[in-house]
């Protein structure tokens, strides 16, 4: 016998819809037969599947463990994150019952792609599962996930949804731009405070974007605001307020304004990049999501070591 207590992610569903999520490998005929025979009960009573679930409801499955596991489909093959070592990749900056803010390291994908490499989302699930914050049964009805993306070689804060409510709230604040996002970047040249607008087009075949100052067909509007934190001989450490959030927006928009990110070989200055690569081992763009703010909640990620090395070099050269 398996007993499950419903959480808020399972509330306000038709009972049969909930059961289909839990027993996703079971045919409908099996689920309704088990209801008729009282092999599945809701709060100790017979149910027909039309009931509305509520947080705190107790569902009992009078099935063998073998049958339940087979019908639920929750095997290690379906949840490869179960035994991942998340500790080198998960740095929790803030966590409550609905959301997480994680500090993503440079070089790690935010979400999976065609490469098959593990991503932050995999390690998020491993962290939640191995710390007892996510069960197999909960995973069958709701998948926690990252809510915004960073490029593989951009480090810093990623917002994640732990619950259905958290994921929905995250989608809303990202859409209506009430989530304030700030980055730091080390860029070529002496930059001044600016608010720049433009239009961006993404070429899917090359995974590269192009910037126009004038509107064009298939180009999307972008807005980027930045101001110097420190200025060096030939570089500037910028605070960047990302107003719109398009693919490669900061990298391409700053490059179009003659301040490419140091270390960015896709949009930047190869000669400058090679100097930093050979002297302080900077291989990728110096871009870090350092702060997110929503209402009274402000979350910050510490400056990475690669920035510290590059800044020291910029001060001396």
């Amino acid at each position: 016998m398996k007993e499950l207590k419903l959480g808020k992610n399972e509330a306000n569903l038709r009972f049969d819809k909930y059961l289909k999520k839990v027993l996703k490998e079971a045919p409908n005929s099996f689920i309704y037969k088990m209801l008729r025979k009282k092999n599945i009960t809701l709060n100790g009573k017979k149910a027909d599947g039309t009931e509305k679930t509520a947080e705190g409801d107790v569902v009992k499955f009078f099935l063998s463990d073998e049958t339940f596991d087979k019908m639920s489909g929750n095997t290690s093959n379906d949840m490869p994150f179960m035994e991942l070592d998340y500790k080198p990749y998960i740095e929790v900056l803030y966590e409550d019952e609905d959301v997480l803010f994680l500090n993503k390291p440079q070089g790690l994908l935010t979400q999976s792609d065609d490469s098959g490499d593990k991503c932050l989302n995999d390690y998020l699930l491993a962290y939640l599962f191995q710390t007892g914050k996510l069960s197999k049964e909960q995973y069958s009805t709701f998948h926690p996930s990252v809510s915004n993306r960073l490029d593989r070689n951009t480090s810093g804060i990623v917002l994640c949804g732990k619950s259905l409510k958290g994921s929905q709230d995250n989608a809303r604040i990202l859409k209506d731009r009430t989530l304030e996002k700030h980055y730091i970047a080390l860029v070529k040249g002496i930059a001044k405070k600016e608010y720049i607008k433009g239009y961006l087009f993404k070429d899917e075949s090359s995974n590269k974007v192009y910037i126009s100052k004038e509107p064009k067909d298939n180009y999307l509007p972008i807005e980027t605001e930045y101001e110097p934190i420190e200025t060096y001989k030939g570089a500037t450490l910028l605070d960047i307020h990302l107003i719109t959030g398009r693919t490669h927006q900061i990298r391409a928009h700053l490059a179009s304004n003659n301040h490419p990110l140091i270390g960015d070989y896709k949009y930047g200055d190869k000669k400058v990049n090679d100097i930093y690569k050979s002297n302080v081992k900077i291989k990728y763009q110096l871009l870090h999501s350092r702060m997110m703010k929503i209402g009274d909640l402000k979350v910050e990620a510490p400056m990475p070591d690669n920035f510290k090395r590059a800044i020291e070099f910029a001060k001396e050269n």
Side-chain angles (χ1 to χ4, degrees):
M1 192 269 287
K2 175 79 71 173
E3 179 176 306
L4 300 180
K5 186 175 182 179
L6 274 59
K8 57 186 176 181
N9 293 331
E10 294 83 42
N12 298 313
L13 295 173
R14 263 183 61 121
F15 188 43
D16 54 0
K17 184 176 180 182
Y18 163 77
L19 292 175
K20 290 171 189 176
K21 287 188 174 186
V22 175
L23 304 176
K24 52 183 174 287
E25 299 300 322
N28 291 345
S29 58
F30 175 85
I31 291 174
Y32 292 117
K33 181 179 179 180
M34 293 301 100
L35 287 170
R36 288 194 303 272
K37 296 179 68 173
K38 289 187 67 175
N39 286 342
I40 300 175
T41 63
L42 177 63
N43 296 322
K45 298 178 181 179
K46 184 177 181 179
D48 62 15
T50 62
E51 299 82 0
K52 277 285 188 179
T53 61
E55 185 175 357
D57 280 350
V58 175
V59 182
K60 291 183 179 179
F61 298 84
F62 295 93
L63 307 171
S64 68
D65 290 343
E66 181 181 6
T67 299
F68 185 88
D69 289 342
K70 178 182 177 181
M71 294 302 184
S72 66
N74 286 337
T75 67
S76 58
N77 291 334
D78 298 308
M79 297 190 293
F81 57 82
M82 287 174 62
E83 297 181 358
L84 283 179
D85 182 10
Y86 67 84
K87 293 178 182 177
Y89 305 99
I90 295 294
E91 180 184 351
V92 178
L93 301 171
Y94 173 86
E95 180 176 4
D96 62 27
E97 63 180 2
D98 294 312
V99 301
L100 272 162
F101 289 81
L102 301 178
N103 188 13
K104 185 187 84 69
Q106 188 182 62
L108 180 67
L109 288 167
T110 307
Q111 292 178 305
S112 59
D113 65 4
D114 295 336
S115 69
D117 293 345
K118 298 300 180 187
C119 63
L120 184 68
N121 204 74
D122 295 326
Y123 295 113
L124 164 67
L125 292 170
Y127 163 75
L128 294 173
F129 181 77
Q130 293 172 34
T131 55
K133 300 171 185 179
L134 177 68
S135 67
K136 292 181 180 180
E137 292 75 26
Q138 289 169 330
Y139 183 74
S140 70
T141 59
F142 172 74
H143 293 190
S145 69
V146 299
S147 298
N148 70 296
R149 285 193 181 201
L150 295 179
D151 293 342
R152 180 195 281 263
N153 293 310
T154 297
S155 58
I157 306 173
V158 174
L159 174 61
C160 309
K162 284 177 63 179
S163 69
L164 178 61
K165 177 182 181 299
S167 294
Q168 291 172 336
D169 288 345
N170 290 350
R172 175 182 53 79
I173 63 176
L174 287 164
K175 183 178 180 180
D176 65 21
R177 301 178 191 170
T178 52
L179 178 68
E180 188 176 334
K181 295 182 285 186
H182 285 258
Y183 292 68
I184 54 171
L186 189 65
V187 302
K188 173 188 172 183
I190 308 303
K192 298 179 180 180
K193 181 177 180 178
E194 287 201 56
Y195 181 98
I196 55 176
K197 294 184 178 182
Y199 299 87
L200 177 149
F201 170 75
K202 181 180 180 182
D203 182 344
E204 297 287 351
S205 63
S206 64
N207 191 32
K208 190 171 182 178
V209 304
Y210 298 91
I211 304 295
S212 170
K213 292 185 178 181
E214 303 298 329
K216 292 184 178 181
D217 290 344
N218 300 317
Y219 278 62
L220 299 172
I222 55 173
E223 299 177 52
T224 312
E225 183 178 28
Y226 59 83
E227 63 179 311
I229 299 172
E230 291 183 339
T231 300
Y232 315 111
K233 294 177 182 178
T236 305
L237 180 66
L238 289 180
D239 172 90
I240 301 169
H241 177 202
L242 185 64
I243 299 169
T244 55
R246 312 291 186 195
T247 302
H248 297 179
Q249 177 180 322
I250 291 174
R251 297 166 62 186
H253 211 183
L254 269 289
S256 74
N257 211 35
N258 300 315
H259 294 299
L261 274 61
I262 290 173
D264 190 349
Y265 278 89
K266 180 167 281 193
Y267 301 102
D269 184 313
K270 184 179 184 303
K271 182 178 179 181
V272 172
N273 294 341
D274 286 346
I275 292 171
Y276 278 80
K277 184 176 181 179
S278 62
N279 285 278
V280 283
K281 300 179 181 179
I282 300 301
K283 299 179 180 179
Y284 306 108
Q285 69 269 9
L286 285 168
L287 182 63
H288 176 68
S289 173
R290 72 166 188 88
M291 189 271 281
M292 286 188 181
K293 184 179 179 182
I294 175 70
D296 294 329
L297 177 61
K298 181 180 179 181
V299 179
E300 296 184 274
M303 181 182 289
D305 288 341
N306 58 347
F307 268 80
K308 295 175 183 178
R309 296 196 312 269
I311 288 170
E312 288 306 310
F313 180 77
K315 286 178 178 178
E316 297 169 2
N317 295 272

